[in-house]
Amino acid sequence: MGFLKITNGTLITPFRYIRGGTIVLQDGVIQGVHERDVDVPGAAVMDAQGKFVAPGFIDIHVHGGGGYDFMDGTEEAFLKIVELHAQYGTTSLVPTTLTAEKADLLRTLDTYEKAKLNNNRGASFLGIHLEGPYFSLSQRGAQDPRYIRNPDPTEYEEILAYSSSIVRWSAAPELEGAIQFGRRLREKGILAAIAHTDAVYADVLEAYENGYTLATHLYSAMSGVTRRNAFRYAGAIESALLLDMDVELITDGIHLPPPLLKLVYKIKGADRTALITDAMRAAGMPEGESILGSRTNGLPVLVEDGVAKLLDRSSFAGSVATTNQLVRNMVQLADVSLLDAVRMASATPARIMSVDARKGALVAGKDADLVIFDENINIATTIVNGQIIYTKGQIVNTVQAI
Ligand SMILES: [Zn+2]
């Protein structure tokens, strides 16, 4: 593989802008980032035509897209999902499961291993996120209540022993056994996150001390301030905001209204907030009837108004967002700078998933994962590991005369 030089763009590193900068890629790695054009004999040249050039977006919580769900149990589903999301700027993602029986989770882990070997046309995989099944029934949202249970060491030890690809696990910290579970995850180097929880501050504080460092889709399926008799208690939301936890936000513009996006950004800033799609299979598809979870035993849902809902419309059932929409919404709905919005979709999720040594910034030595987009965050080109895997075609790729 030779050199690829991208010129005439505004680079977003994402800690600063480099206007008129040049970035040189070689063998899947960023070889150099320059303030001006540089001579690279023999390099292929891509003209960014004045567009933005940013690190590829990293989605650490996503279930599906393009009509497929990671729980479908097929390699095809995994590959179609990463292909779909790459078209919208995602260069790596964490496939996420739903609450399910153990057998289904193990099958999904098997499928992941197979898909990983053949993934060369979409976003790359960062490992698996198990969302559930250890959740609070009262905060289940669209998670299937039949499968919700307390952490059981016999069960989770078997799952942990089964796969070395689990990088994240979401659970409700107030459940019996959840603290021990968090400690075990920390010991294994797996990110523990609080989710679908009715916890109060004391629960979250203890969880934080014992390994839970991230709040899964803050505000969604999570307790706020409650009253017991006359006394008020801070819920999971306030606790996550108060403690030095990382948070992730579904910024599809529907799950959370602009004031809440602004509030979280004001308190947590770009360093502790990761934008996630939490997308289900209907992302990138026409609206209408769909299924949340696997085709065989998932829940029927309705996609309308740009979001998936349970059929009785009592709850959202996942988003249909794409990562470029997340960034656009933070800029347009929450008045966040483009620099910080991109950071929340790149450097911050990379750090949360402990892949920041390789990903999340335009810096020499890191993986050549890039996106090129216009001022409205429409994606023109997506590059994963130095390979152009998506381009709208208006960017010309020619070999430079030596
Ligand atoms: Zn989810």
Side-chain angles (χ1 to χ4, degrees), residues 9-43:
T10 295
L11 308 185
I12 302 178
T13 70
F15 303 100
R16 60 177 166 135
Y17 288 114
I18 304 177
R19 293 181 175 82
T22 298
I23 183 161
V24 180
L25 315 179
Q26 183 194 18
D27 299 333
V29 173
I30 298 171
Q31 192 259 349
V33 178
H34 309 275
E35 305 274 341
R36 57 191 65 78
D37 199 359
V38 291
D39 221 23
V40 186

Short mmCIF file of all heavy atoms in Angstrom, two decimals, residues 9-43:
data_model
loop_
_atom_site.label_atom_id
_atom_site.label_comp_id
_atom_site.label_asym_id
_atom_site.label_seq_id
_atom_site.Cartn_x
_atom_site.Cartn_y
_atom_site.Cartn_z
N GLY A 9 -8.14 20.78 2.78
CA GLY A 9 -9.25 20.62 3.72
C GLY A 9 -9.00 21.41 4.99
O GLY A 9 -7.91 21.93 5.21
N THR A 10 -10.06 21.52 5.80
CA THR A 10 -9.88 22.06 7.14
C THR A 10 -9.81 20.87 8.09
O THR A 10 -10.81 20.18 8.30
CB THR A 10 -11.05 22.98 7.52
OG1 THR A 10 -11.03 24.12 6.65
CG2 THR A 10 -10.94 23.45 8.96
N LEU A 11 -8.63 20.60 8.61
CA LEU A 11 -8.47 19.46 9.50
C LEU A 11 -9.04 19.79 10.88
O LEU A 11 -8.86 20.89 11.39
CB LEU A 11 -6.99 19.08 9.64
CG LEU A 11 -6.16 18.86 8.37
CD1 LEU A 11 -4.76 18.36 8.72
CD2 LEU A 11 -6.85 17.88 7.43
N ILE A 12 -9.74 18.83 11.45
CA ILE A 12 -10.22 18.94 12.84
C ILE A 12 -9.50 17.84 13.60
O ILE A 12 -9.79 16.66 13.42
CB ILE A 12 -11.75 18.74 12.91
CG1 ILE A 12 -12.46 19.76 12.02
CG2 ILE A 12 -12.23 18.82 14.34
CD1 ILE A 12 -13.98 19.62 11.99
N THR A 13 -8.57 18.19 14.46
CA THR A 13 -7.66 17.15 15.01
C THR A 13 -8.20 16.22 16.08
O THR A 13 -7.61 15.12 16.21
CB THR A 13 -6.38 17.82 15.56
OG1 THR A 13 -6.68 18.55 16.73
CG2 THR A 13 -5.63 18.58 14.51
N PRO A 14 -9.14 16.40 16.93
CA PRO A 14 -10.13 17.43 17.09
C PRO A 14 -9.85 18.39 18.25
O PRO A 14 -10.77 18.84 18.92
CB PRO A 14 -11.38 16.60 17.41
CG PRO A 14 -10.84 15.52 18.28
CD PRO A 14 -9.42 15.27 17.81
N PHE A 15 -8.61 18.70 18.49
CA PHE A 15 -8.30 19.64 19.56
C PHE A 15 -8.03 21.03 19.00
O PHE A 15 -7.89 21.99 19.74
CB PHE A 15 -7.11 19.11 20.37
CG PHE A 15 -7.39 17.73 20.92
CD1 PHE A 15 -6.89 16.60 20.31
CD2 PHE A 15 -8.21 17.58 22.03
CE1 PHE A 15 -7.19 15.33 20.81
CE2 PHE A 15 -8.51 16.32 22.55
CZ PHE A 15 -8.01 15.19 21.92
N ARG A 16 -7.92 21.12 17.68
CA ARG A 16 -7.76 22.42 17.00
C ARG A 16 -8.10 22.24 15.53
O ARG A 16 -8.20 21.11 15.03
CB ARG A 16 -6.32 22.91 17.13
CG ARG A 16 -5.32 21.95 16.51
CD ARG A 16 -3.90 22.49 16.59
NE ARG A 16 -2.94 21.43 16.30
CZ ARG A 16 -1.90 21.57 15.49
NH1 ARG A 16 -1.68 22.72 14.88
NH2 ARG A 16 -1.07 20.57 15.29
N TYR A 17 -8.27 23.38 14.86
CA TYR A 17 -8.43 23.38 13.40
C TYR A 17 -7.07 23.59 12.76
O TYR A 17 -6.25 24.35 13.28
CB TYR A 17 -9.32 24.54 12.96
CG TYR A 17 -10.78 24.40 13.29
CD1 TYR A 17 -11.38 25.27 14.20
CD2 TYR A 17 -11.57 23.44 12.68
CE1 TYR A 17 -12.74 25.18 14.50
CE2 TYR A 17 -12.91 23.32 12.97
CZ TYR A 17 -13.49 24.19 13.89
OH TYR A 17 -14.81 24.08 14.18
N ILE A 18 -6.84 22.92 11.63
CA ILE A 18 -5.68 23.25 10.79
C ILE A 18 -6.25 23.57 9.41
O ILE A 18 -6.61 22.67 8.64
CB ILE A 18 -4.66 22.09 10.70
CG1 ILE A 18 -4.20 21.68 12.11
CG2 ILE A 18 -3.46 22.51 9.84
CD1 ILE A 18 -3.23 20.49 12.14
N ARG A 19 -6.39 24.87 9.13
CA ARG A 19 -7.01 25.29 7.86
C ARG A 19 -6.00 25.18 6.74
O ARG A 19 -4.85 25.61 6.89
CB ARG A 19 -7.57 26.70 7.99
CG ARG A 19 -8.74 26.73 8.97
CD ARG A 19 -9.38 28.10 9.14
NE ARG A 19 -10.56 27.99 10.00
CZ ARG A 19 -10.51 27.96 11.33
NH1 ARG A 19 -9.34 28.04 11.96
NH2 ARG A 19 -11.63 27.85 12.05
N GLY A 20 -6.42 24.58 5.64
CA GLY A 20 -5.50 24.38 4.51
C GLY A 20 -4.43 23.34 4.82
O GLY A 20 -3.38 23.33 4.20
N GLY A 21 -4.71 22.47 5.77
CA GLY A 21 -3.73 21.47 6.19
C GLY A 21 -3.69 20.27 5.26
O GLY A 21 -4.54 20.11 4.38
N THR A 22 -2.70 19.47 5.48
CA THR A 22 -2.50 18.26 4.67
C THR A 22 -2.29 17.08 5.61
O THR A 22 -1.60 17.21 6.63
CB THR A 22 -1.25 18.42 3.77
OG1 THR A 22 -1.49 19.51 2.89
CG2 THR A 22 -0.99 17.16 2.95
N ILE A 23 -2.88 15.96 5.25
CA ILE A 23 -2.65 14.76 6.05
C ILE A 23 -2.19 13.65 5.12
O ILE A 23 -2.71 13.50 4.01
CB ILE A 23 -3.91 14.39 6.87
CG1 ILE A 23 -3.66 13.18 7.76
CG2 ILE A 23 -5.13 14.15 5.99
CD1 ILE A 23 -4.67 13.06 8.89
N VAL A 24 -1.19 12.92 5.55
CA VAL A 24 -0.61 11.86 4.73
C VAL A 24 -0.83 10.51 5.43
O VAL A 24 -0.53 10.37 6.62
CB VAL A 24 0.90 12.10 4.49
CG1 VAL A 24 1.48 10.99 3.61
CG2 VAL A 24 1.13 13.47 3.85
N LEU A 25 -1.38 9.57 4.66
CA LEU A 25 -1.65 8.23 5.19
C LEU A 25 -0.73 7.23 4.52
O LEU A 25 -0.46 7.34 3.32
CB LEU A 25 -3.11 7.84 4.92
CG LEU A 25 -4.19 8.89 5.19
CD1 LEU A 25 -5.57 8.33 4.84
CD2 LEU A 25 -4.14 9.35 6.64
N GLN A 26 -0.29 6.25 5.28
CA GLN A 26 0.54 5.19 4.70
C GLN A 26 0.29 3.88 5.44
O GLN A 26 0.39 3.83 6.66
CB GLN A 26 2.02 5.55 4.79
CG GLN A 26 2.91 4.51 4.12
CD GLN A 26 4.37 4.66 4.49
OE1 GLN A 26 4.71 5.29 5.48
NE2 GLN A 26 5.24 4.07 3.69
N ASP A 27 -0.02 2.84 4.67
CA ASP A 27 -0.21 1.50 5.25
C ASP A 27 -1.17 1.50 6.43
O ASP A 27 -0.91 0.86 7.45
CB ASP A 27 1.14 0.92 5.67
CG ASP A 27 2.10 0.77 4.49
OD1 ASP A 27 1.60 0.61 3.36
OD2 ASP A 27 3.32 0.84 4.70
N GLY A 28 -2.29 2.23 6.27
CA GLY A 28 -3.32 2.19 7.30
C GLY A 28 -3.05 3.05 8.51
O GLY A 28 -3.81 3.01 9.49
N VAL A 29 -1.99 3.83 8.45
CA VAL A 29 -1.63 4.65 9.60
C VAL A 29 -1.46 6.10 9.15
O VAL A 29 -1.09 6.36 8.00
CB VAL A 29 -0.31 4.12 10.24
CG1 VAL A 29 0.20 5.04 11.33
CG2 VAL A 29 -0.53 2.71 10.77
N ILE A 30 -1.74 7.05 10.04
CA ILE A 30 -1.49 8.45 9.73
C ILE A 30 0.02 8.67 9.82
O ILE A 30 0.63 8.46 10.86
CB ILE A 30 -2.23 9.39 10.71
CG1 ILE A 30 -3.74 9.17 10.59
CG2 ILE A 30 -1.84 10.85 10.44
CD1 ILE A 30 -4.56 9.89 11.65
N GLN A 31 0.59 9.08 8.68
CA GLN A 31 2.05 9.20 8.62
C GLN A 31 2.49 10.62 9.00
O GLN A 31 3.55 10.81 9.58
CB GLN A 31 2.51 8.83 7.21
CG GLN A 31 3.99 8.63 7.04
CD GLN A 31 4.64 9.84 6.40
OE1 GLN A 31 3.96 10.73 5.90
NE2 GLN A 31 5.96 9.88 6.44
N GLY A 32 1.63 11.61 8.67
CA GLY A 32 1.99 12.97 9.03
C GLY A 32 0.80 13.91 8.94
O GLY A 32 -0.11 13.70 8.14
N VAL A 33 0.79 14.94 9.78
CA VAL A 33 -0.24 15.98 9.75
C VAL A 33 0.50 17.30 9.63
O VAL A 33 1.36 17.60 10.46
CB VAL A 33 -1.10 15.94 11.04
CG1 VAL A 33 -2.13 17.06 11.03
CG2 VAL A 33 -1.77 14.58 11.20
N HIS A 34 0.16 18.08 8.59
CA HIS A 34 0.98 19.25 8.26
C HIS A 34 0.12 20.51 8.15
O HIS A 34 -1.04 20.44 7.76
CB HIS A 34 1.72 19.02 6.94
CG HIS A 34 2.48 17.72 6.91
ND1 HIS A 34 3.75 17.58 7.41
CD2 HIS A 34 2.12 16.48 6.46
CE1 HIS A 34 4.16 16.32 7.27
NE2 HIS A 34 3.18 15.64 6.69
N GLU A 35 0.73 21.64 8.46
CA GLU A 35 0.04 22.93 8.42
C GLU A 35 -0.22 23.39 6.98
O GLU A 35 -1.08 24.23 6.74
CB GLU A 35 0.89 24.01 9.11
CG GLU A 35 1.31 23.66 10.54
CD GLU A 35 0.26 24.06 11.56
OE1 GLU A 35 -0.60 24.89 11.23
OE2 GLU A 35 0.30 23.50 12.68
N ARG A 36 0.56 22.87 6.04
CA ARG A 36 0.42 23.28 4.64
C ARG A 36 0.65 22.07 3.73
O ARG A 36 0.90 20.97 4.24
CB ARG A 36 1.41 24.40 4.30
CG ARG A 36 2.86 24.05 4.56
CD ARG A 36 3.74 25.27 4.46
NE ARG A 36 3.44 26.26 5.49
CZ ARG A 36 3.85 26.16 6.77
NH1 ARG A 36 4.59 25.12 7.16
NH2 ARG A 36 3.56 27.06 7.65
N ASP A 37 0.58 22.31 2.43
CA ASP A 37 0.79 21.21 1.49
C ASP A 37 2.25 20.75 1.56
O ASP A 37 3.14 21.57 1.74
CB ASP A 37 0.44 21.67 0.07
CG ASP A 37 0.17 20.49 -0.85
OD1 ASP A 37 0.27 19.34 -0.40
OD2 ASP A 37 -0.14 20.74 -2.04
N VAL A 38 2.43 19.48 1.42
CA VAL A 38 3.79 18.95 1.43
C VAL A 38 3.97 18.03 0.21
O VAL A 38 2.99 17.50 -0.31
CB VAL A 38 4.10 18.14 2.72
CG1 VAL A 38 4.16 19.04 3.93
CG2 VAL A 38 3.07 17.02 2.92
N ASP A 39 5.18 17.87 -0.18
CA ASP A 39 5.49 17.02 -1.32
C ASP A 39 5.63 15.58 -0.85
O ASP A 39 6.44 15.29 0.03
CB ASP A 39 6.83 17.50 -1.92
CG ASP A 39 6.79 17.50 -3.43
OD1 ASP A 39 5.66 17.57 -3.98
OD2 ASP A 39 7.86 17.41 -4.05
N VAL A 40 4.83 14.70 -1.45
CA VAL A 40 4.98 13.27 -1.13
C VAL A 40 5.10 12.52 -2.47
O VAL A 40 4.09 12.17 -3.07
CB VAL A 40 3.79 12.72 -0.32
CG1 VAL A 40 4.06 11.28 0.12
CG2 VAL A 40 3.49 13.60 0.88
N PRO A 41 6.33 12.33 -2.93
CA PRO A 41 6.51 11.70 -4.24
C PRO A 41 5.80 10.35 -4.33
O PRO A 41 5.89 9.53 -3.43
CB PRO A 41 8.04 11.51 -4.33
CG PRO A 41 8.60 12.53 -3.39
CD PRO A 41 7.61 12.65 -2.28
N GLY A 42 5.05 10.19 -5.42
CA GLY A 42 4.38 8.91 -5.66
C GLY A 42 3.07 8.73 -4.94
O GLY A 42 2.41 7.71 -5.11
N ALA A 43 2.68 9.73 -4.15
CA ALA A 43 1.44 9.57 -3.38
C ALA A 43 0.21 9.77 -4.25
O ALA A 43 0.22 10.56 -5.18
CB ALA A 43 1.41 10.58 -2.23
#
